[in-house]
Amino acid sequence: MAYFEIGMVSFLCAVALPLVYFCDYQFRRLGAWTKRGDKPKDRIGFFLVTAAITGFIIGSFIQPSWNKAAECRATAGQTGQSVMVCMFLQK
């Protein structure tokens, strides 16, 4: 079984993780503005690139499980076997 694979989930995580970071940054800016405090001094470009790379790596580790689940969903209707049994109890 492969533990690292590049696919759709890799790219989705590479987009989602920087998006989550950017939303968090904006909420922290809003919180600082409402309290009349100092704005966060993050280096946004660095963190967005780092989050994208990290998301891509995490997604690449999730991708083999995603592919296995897709195969199990496709065969579950034919064999009548549960997707969970197929995912975790078969090689």
Side-chain angles (χ1 to χ4, degrees), residues 68-85:
K68 174 100 170 140
E71 292 172 11
C72 287
R73 280 190 302 271
T75 61
Q78 298 168 356
T79 61
Q81 186 179 29
S82 169
V83 175
M84 292 298 193
V85 171

Side-chain angles (χ1 to χ4, degrees), residues 4-64:
F4 187 88
E5 198 171 307
I6 295 173
M8 178 185 65
V9 177
S10 305
F11 294 107
L12 287 176
C13 287
V15 170
L17 205 57
L19 188 63
V20 167
Y21 167 74
F22 188 71
C23 289
D24 173 63
Y25 176 77
Q26 293 302 328
F27 281 121
R28 288 187 289 133
R29 277 188 63 187
L30 180 65
W33 178 77
T34 58
K35 296 175 186 173
R36 297 180 190 249
D38 293 335
K39 292 189 295 186
K41 296 180 175 33
D42 297 2
R43 294 184 179 217
I44 301 208
F46 170 76
F47 284 113
L48 289 177
V49 170
T50 303
I53 292 169
T54 304
F56 185 81
I57 292 169
I58 290 170
S60 295
F61 281 110
I62 295 171
Q63 186 69 43

